[in-house]
């Protein structure tokens, strides 16, 4: 099942089918962040009297989606390892489609919370399976390019899908953004069914065996520093709308521009992070988290001036996405034989960071510390991530050092 046995066009269509699903995931996960004030104003009765508190409570939707990812990634990946990968992908994209249909029709804030949790469940398992399928399609000599092709959908979503969805949501109601997401997942479901070829599962693998990944200490260290460190990114990203309209006092139409700048930074950061991680995963982890901490401070300091803020968000996007591929490689290195569940756990770790960043960012805004306070928080979280990385490296070194008699 490599490009040597299949035409290049067929492999490209299979990768494109998964990349479209990744685009939908990027859009459904991140478009909420630019629409929190709109969602709060529509579904929370106290929004008119206390818009800051309504925005903070709407931020819980981001945390709830992330919780769905965290729970669903290892659980679904563990249970589905035995089945054909291509069929599992179709089911997972169909699950994403269903969760977003529920989001569109949710009549109350409570039902919207439930819909976002359901929509998050297949997220991590999809990326884990997609990474394995892309590797099988391209063969060992090109597996990195195959995985990058799929992940490009997520990156492009931050440049095109999220700003466009935010614009639609602000002008036609927040539900309009999720209607687009539903269309994207419907297309990906059909394409995955039609174009992703048969990739066999591992019939002998059980959920009990796959959960053995949690007996590897370095897996826990990696999840910890990814969650705390990457929480810095989501503390800022979750409240870009509030930064632009609140701290910089800019008009609402500038929010999509800020999101485009941040998304373009993520595209650049993904390339830089992947290249540097090939040279040294450990050094890149430390350097990227340090860069993230500093760039978060810059966002906070420049937040009163909208054009300077947009430039700072571009740099911040570079720093944030440099972390992501490096964490993916580190987790795959330490997971060993648990390939599928290890790949899925990367998205659990990042979405724990999503949940932490969004929740703490909402808390500091609700505490009246200012709309720029999530950026100050981000600098602290990224620094905490560096400390955990150092502890992880020290533990790894001790484990490899023979004990003297």
């Amino acid at each position: 099942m490599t490009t040597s046995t299949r035409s290049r066009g067929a492999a490209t269509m299979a990768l494109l089918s998964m990349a479209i699903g990744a685009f939908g995931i990027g859009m459904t996960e991140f478009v909420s962040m630019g629409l929190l004030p709109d969602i709060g104003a529509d579904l929370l009765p106290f929004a008119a009297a206390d818009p800051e508190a309504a925005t903070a409570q709407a931020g819980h939707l981001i945390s709830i989606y992330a919780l769905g990812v965290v729970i669903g990634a290892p659980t679904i990946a563990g249970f589905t390892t035995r089945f054909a990968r291509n069929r599992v992908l179709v089911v997972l994209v169909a699950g994403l489609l269903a969760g977003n249909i529920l989001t569109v029709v949710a009549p109350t804030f409570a039902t919207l919370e439930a819909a976002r949790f359901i929509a998050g469940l297949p997220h991590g398992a999809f990326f884990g399976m997609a990474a394995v399928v892309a590797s099988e399609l391209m063969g060992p000599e090109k597996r990195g390019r195959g995985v990058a092709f799929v992940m490009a959908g997520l990156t492009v979503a931050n440049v095109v899908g999220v700003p466009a969805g935010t614009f639609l949501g602000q002008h036609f109601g927040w539900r309009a953004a999720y209607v687009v997401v539903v269309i994207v997942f419907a297309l990906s479901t059909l394409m995955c069914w039609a174009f992703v070829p048969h990739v066999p599962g591992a019939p002998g693998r059980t959920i009990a065996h796959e959960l053995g990944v949690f007996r590897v200490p370095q897996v826990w260290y990696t999840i910890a520093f990814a969650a705390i460190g990457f929480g810095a990114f989501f503390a800022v990203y979750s409240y870009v709308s509030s930064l632009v309209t609140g701290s910089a006092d800019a008009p609402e139409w500038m929010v999509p521009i800020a999101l485009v700048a941040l998304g373009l930074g993520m595209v650049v950061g993904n390339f830089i992070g992947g290249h540097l991680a090939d040279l040294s995963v450990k050094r890149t982890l430390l350097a990227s988290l340090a860069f993230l901490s500093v760039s978060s401070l810059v966002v906070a300091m420049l937040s009163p001036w909208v054009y300077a803020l947009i430039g700072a968000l571009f740099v911040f996007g570079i720093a944030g996405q440099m972390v992501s591929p490096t964490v993916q490689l580190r987790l795959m290195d330490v997971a060993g034989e648990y390939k599928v569940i290890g790949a899925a756990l990367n998205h659990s770790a990042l979405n724990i960071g999503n949940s932490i960043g969004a929740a703490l960012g909402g808390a500091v805004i609700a505490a009246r510390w200012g709309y720029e306070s999530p950026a100050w928080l981000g600098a602290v979280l990224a620094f905490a991530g560096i400390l955990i990385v150092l502890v992880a490296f020290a533990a790894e070194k001790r484990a490899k050092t023979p004990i003297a008699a």
Side-chain angles (χ1 to χ4, degrees):
M1 186 54 60
T2 67
T3 49
S4 63
T5 58
R6 298 187 61 83
S7 72
R8 179 174 298 180
T12 300
M13 288 303 297
L15 294 173
L16 180 62
S17 303
M18 295 182 286
I20 291 173
F23 179 93
I25 288 177
M27 190 171 176
T28 192
E29 181 175 18
F30 298 128
V31 76
S32 301
M33 298 171 183
L35 297 174
L36 294 180
D38 303 88
I39 295 172
D42 181 36
L43 296 179
L44 296 173
F46 60 86
D50 195 345
E52 286 188 358
T55 298
Q57 183 166 337
H60 295 170
L61 295 171
I62 299 169
S63 301
I64 289 169
Y65 179 91
L67 179 62
V69 179
V70 171
I71 294 173
T75 305
I76 296 175
F79 274 113
T80 57
T81 299
R82 72 188 71 177
F83 302 110
R85 314 296 194 207
N86 54 311
R87 295 307 175 205
V88 172
L89 275 173
V90 173
V91 172
L92 291 173
V93 182
L96 289 159
L97 172 62
N100 282 276
I101 290 174
L102 292 175
T103 297
V104 172
V105 302
T108 66
F109 189 79
T111 55
L112 181 59
E113 287 179 312
R116 296 313 294 157
F117 177 78
I118 293 170
L121 289 172
H123 174 131
F126 170 85
F127 277 117
M129 285 294 181
V132 173
V133 171
S135 299
E136 293 289 336
L137 282 171
M138 300 302 290
E141 73 282 359
K142 295 183 179 179
R143 62 175 186 163
R145 275 173 275 185
V147 173
F149 192 112
V150 174
M151 292 301 295
L154 182 65
T155 307
V156 172
N158 285 282
V159 180
V160 180
V162 173
T166 302
F167 179 84
L168 286 174
Q170 290 172 345
H171 290 80
F172 301 100
W174 62 269
R175 297 176 196 271
Y178 292 99
V179 170
V180 175
V181 173
V182 166
I183 294 171
V184 171
F185 281 131
L187 176 62
S188 179
T189 301
L190 293 173
M191 291 185 66
C192 285
W193 179 79
F195 296 115
V196 177
H198 176 72
V199 180
R205 307 289 285 232
T206 65
I207 181 65
H209 181 274
E210 292 299 302
L211 291 179
V213 72
F214 293 111
R215 294 194 294 268
V216 182
Q218 283 296 322
V219 168
W220 285 106
Y221 279 119
T222 306
I223 291 173
F225 66 66
I228 300 299
F230 213 71
F233 177 77
F234 286 104
V236 177
Y237 197 171
S238 301
Y239 299 98
V240 167
S241 178
S242 298
L243 270 170
V244 173
T245 60
S247 184
D249 198 27
E252 194 176 55
W253 59 264
M254 295 200 72
V255 173
I257 296 175
L259 289 170
V260 168
L262 199 154
L264 287 172
M266 291 175 69
V267 173
V268 175
N270 186 56
F271 174 80
I272 295 174
H275 176 73
L276 293 179
D278 282 338
L279 301 176
S280 172
V281 170
K282 290 185 175 182
R283 287 197 294 268
T284 303
L285 275 174
L286 292 171
S288 59
L289 285 170
F291 185 22
L292 184 61
S293 183
V294 172
S295 63
S296 190
L297 289 174
V298 173
V299 169
M301 290 186 290
L302 297 182
S303 62
W305 303 280
V306 66
Y307 293 107
L309 173 62
I310 289 172
L313 287 171
F314 172 76
V315 176
F316 181 79
I318 295 175
Q321 195 60 26
M322 280 177 63
V323 177
S324 183
T326 314
V327 169
Q328 175 74 84
L329 289 178
R330 174 66 179 177
L331 191 52
M332 292 175 69
D333 286 344
V334 300
E337 63 175 296
Y338 308 103
K339 180 169 63 173
V340 174
I341 197 168
L345 280 174
N346 177 53
H347 296 274
S348 289
L350 297 185
N351 277 274
I352 293 172
N354 187 341
S355 180
I356 291 171
L360 294 181
V364 294
I365 290 176
R368 306 293 196 273
W369 290 359
Y371 285 116
E372 71 280 1
S373 57
W376 297 111
L377 171 68
V380 175
L381 290 174
F383 182 74
I386 293 172
L387 297 180
I388 299 173
V389 169
L390 292 174
V391 172
F393 291 169
E396 185 177 46
K397 185 176 181 180
R398 285 196 304 270
K400 292 180 178 179
T401 301
I403 300 175

